[in-house]
């Protein structure tokens, strides 16, 4: 096993690649997967509460009704009617929403409502600290529309009556019931997302570490020396191949062990048959970057090219696999291209395996994904052998 030991020594001469591509990128995957929310909301639904201020320069029943309506949206804060005071209140976060009602607004509002014209505008100032101001403004717009509708339907009625009816309409709220998400589905998302991101780890790590090892072994002077030894060509090839597989399994074991250690509850939420599948699928997928490393190793590609291939392929396939952006948010053209690349089938296989229900239909779907992954690996290895013969 001298060739096997020599190959591993060549690979271990660059421990920085194992640290960066193996451990570093895997820890990045831990942080990304750990950011997924897995907790189910507890308790009753509570509507938002907004600190608001109203500068009423009109003093009409219409402006008074709008101020009363805003009180149901949060807490009113008194602010002086001056430009400096208003700017200071919004800038310092004392209020999230400020409404300025100009003089004569109530009469203009009534006339516009009765005649069916566009309602006059008010000055609204939002705080940039939160989105509460936008929600309050949307609620106020609904109230103004209701008030205008009542005024147009009852042109001879008092304004106070229309304000009262609009306030009653705005106070009507639907009952809200919290529906918790399935804990198992939420938990499995973390471990699956971690393994999906590891697609980048496999391509970057395996291609660089295995590819550089093969490049060193395939140097002309090294090959001549090795083939002049008493070791047969078959033994030499088998030992070299074994070293390549061992290095690939190192990256696979590192990612799997780290994922289980960091997300034990997520891994435990996967059904028992699915646990075996989510461990086998990454191992089979790692054969594709191994094939790419074998192909590049036949060409004596330099270290910089190896790093470029590993990183670019890892990023591109991760993107088309839906790791960075869900495929549901992409255009149909991008999804069609994704079906032509192995990353799509890898992420789909992991998602199906994590929710495996034991049915033959689910097993067949996973089998199709795995079959496509294996075919990709065979095609890449075949291309590498053809390049090697040339």
């Amino acid at each position: 096993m001298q060739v096997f030991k020599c190959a591993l020594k060549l690979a271990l001469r660059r421990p920085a690649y194992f640290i960066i591509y193996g451990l570093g990128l895997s820890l990045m995957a831990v942080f990304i997967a750990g950011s997924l929310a897995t907790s189910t909301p507890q308790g009753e639904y509570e509507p938002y509460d907004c600190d608001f201020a109203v500068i009423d320069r009109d003093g009409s029943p219409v402006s008074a009704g709008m101020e009363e309506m805003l009180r149901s949206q949060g807490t009113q804060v008194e602010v002086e009617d001056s430009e400096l005071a208003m700017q200071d209140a919004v800038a310092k976060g004392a209020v999230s929403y400020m409404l300025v009602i100009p003089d004569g607004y109530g009469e203009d509002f009534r006339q516009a409502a009765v005649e069916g014209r566009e309602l006059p505008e008010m000055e609204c100032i939002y705080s940039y600290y939160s989105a509460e101001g936008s929600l309050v403004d949307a609620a106020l717009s609904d109230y103004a529309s209701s008030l205008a509708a009542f005024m147009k339907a009852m042109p001879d009625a008092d304004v106070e009556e229309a304000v009262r009816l609009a306030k009653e309409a705005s106070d009507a709220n639907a009952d809200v019931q919290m529906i918790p998400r399935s804990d198992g589905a939420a938990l499995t998302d973390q471990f699956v997302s971690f393994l999906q991101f590891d697609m980048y780890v496999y391509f970057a790590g395996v291609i660089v570490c295995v590819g550089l090892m093969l490049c060193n072994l395939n140097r002309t002077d090294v090959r001549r020396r090795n083939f002049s030894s008493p070791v047969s060509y078959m033994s030499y090839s088998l030992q070299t191949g074994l070293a390549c597989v061992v290095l690939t399994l190192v990256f696979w074991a590192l990612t799997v062990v780290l994922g289980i250690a960091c997300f034990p509850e997520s891994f435990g939420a996967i059904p028992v048959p699915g646990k075996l599948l989510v461990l086998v699928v990454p191992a089979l997928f790692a054969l594709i970057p191994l094939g790419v490393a074998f192909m590049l190793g036949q060409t004596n590609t330099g270290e910089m090219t190896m790093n470029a291939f590993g990183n670019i392929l890892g990023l591109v396939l991760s993107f088309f696999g839906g790791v960075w952006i869900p495929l549901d948010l992409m255009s149909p053209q991008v999804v069609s291209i994704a079906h032509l690349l192995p990353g799509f089938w890898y992420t789909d296989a992991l998602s199906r395996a994590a929710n495996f229900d034991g049915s033959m239909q689910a097993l067949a779907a996973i089998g199709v994904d795995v079959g496509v992954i294996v075919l990709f690996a065979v095609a890449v290895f075949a291309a590498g052998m053809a390049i090697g013969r040339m």
Side-chain angles (χ1 to χ4, degrees):
M1 300 292 287
Q2 293 299 320
V3 178
F4 172 75
K5 295 178 181 179
C6 177
L8 291 183
K9 288 180 180 179
L10 289 174
L12 294 176
R13 284 182 178 179
R14 295 179 174 87
Y17 287 134
F18 289 92
I19 297 174
I20 296 174
Y21 291 135
L23 185 60
L25 292 181
S26 295
L27 289 176
M28 185 185 299
V30 170
F31 293 136
I32 293 176
S35 64
L36 296 177
T38 58
S39 59
T40 303
Q42 302 292 333
E44 298 295 332
Y45 166 77
E46 294 182 2
Y48 64 89
D49 186 82
C50 177
D51 294 329
F52 70 93
V54 177
I55 305 299
D56 188 0
R57 298 170 181 171
D58 184 35
S60 65
V62 173
S63 62
M66 290 188 174
E67 185 173 356
E68 179 65 24
M69 179 269 167
L70 288 176
R71 291 194 183 99
S72 64
Q73 303 295 314
T75 305
Q76 185 172 5
V77 178
E78 296 296 332
V79 177
E80 182 184 349
D81 186 4
S82 66
E83 184 177 356
L84 181 60
M86 290 187 291
Q87 291 176 352
D88 190 63
V90 175
K92 292 184 177 180
V95 296
S96 298
Y97 180 77
M98 180 173 294
L99 178 67
V100 180
I101 305 176
D103 186 20
Y105 179 82
E107 183 61 25
D108 294 341
F109 185 95
R110 188 189 66 80
Q111 291 180 2
V114 172
E115 296 173 5
R117 294 185 287 107
E118 185 178 356
L119 299 177
E121 295 183 355
M122 297 177 288
E123 184 179 356
C124 305
I125 306 173
Y126 308 90
S127 172
Y128 55 84
Y129 288 107
S130 66
E132 297 171 354
S134 299
L135 297 175
V136 171
D137 190 64
L140 184 63
S141 298
D142 291 339
Y143 169 81
S145 299
S146 299
L147 179 58
F150 282 116
M151 286 184 175
K152 186 175 182 180
M154 304 180 301
D156 298 330
D158 293 336
V159 176
E160 289 82 356
E161 179 65 14
V163 170
R164 184 185 65 82
L165 294 174
K167 182 63 171 60
E168 290 180 356
S170 67
D171 289 340
N173 295 316
D175 294 333
V176 179
Q177 181 181 2
M178 301 294 291
I179 301 178
R181 188 172 57 173
S182 171
D183 291 338
L187 284 175
T188 56
D189 288 345
Q190 280 191 320
F191 188 74
V192 170
S193 298
F194 171 80
L195 291 181
Q196 289 175 348
F197 183 87
D198 283 336
M199 183 194 317
Y200 182 26
V201 178
Y202 295 144
F203 267 89
V206 173
I207 288 178
V208 173
C209 294
V210 175
L212 290 178
M213 180 197 72
L214 291 175
C215 284
N216 289 326
L217 290 175
N218 289 328
R219 285 161 46 193
T220 303
D221 53 345
V222 176
R223 286 178 62 86
R224 288 174 178 174
R225 184 179 61 195
N226 289 336
F227 289 150
S228 64
S229 67
V231 179
S232 65
Y233 179 77
M234 178 65 70
S235 176
Y236 174 85
S237 299
L238 290 177
Q239 293 185 52
T240 304
L242 180 61
C244 295
V245 172
V246 168
L247 290 176
T248 304
L249 291 178
V250 167
F251 283 95
W252 171 80
L254 176 63
T255 55
V256 168
V257 171
L258 186 61
I260 295 176
C262 294
F263 307 107
E265 295 182 358
S266 179
F267 180 72
I270 300 175
V272 176
K275 286 184 173 65
L276 178 62
L277 292 173
V278 296
L279 297 181
V280 171
V281 170
L284 294 176
F285 180 80
L287 295 177
I288 299 178
L290 176 59
V292 176
F294 172 74
M295 180 174 60
L296 295 176
Q298 309 304 308
T299 62
N300 292 328
T301 305
E303 184 173 353
M304 185 178 298
T305 305
M306 285 287 185
N307 281 277
F309 263 95
N311 284 278
I312 292 174
L313 284 178
L315 290 172
V316 171
L317 294 180
S318 298
F319 172 78
F320 283 103
V323 175
W324 308 109
I325 303 174
L327 291 176
D328 296 339
L329 303 179
M330 298 184 183
S331 63
Q333 293 80 4
V334 176
V335 176
S336 299
I337 297 175
H339 281 74
L340 303 177
L341 300 173
F344 170 84
W345 305 97
Y346 172 66
T347 56
D348 187 68
L350 287 177
S351 299
R352 293 180 183 274
N355 300 284
F356 183 62
D357 57 2
S359 64
M360 291 302 299
Q361 183 178 2
L363 185 61
I366 298 174
V368 171
D369 293 335
V370 172
V372 174
I373 292 173
V374 173
L375 288 177
F376 270 106
V378 171
V380 175
F381 270 107
M385 294 179 67
I387 293 175
R389 284 189 66 86
M390 291 189 294

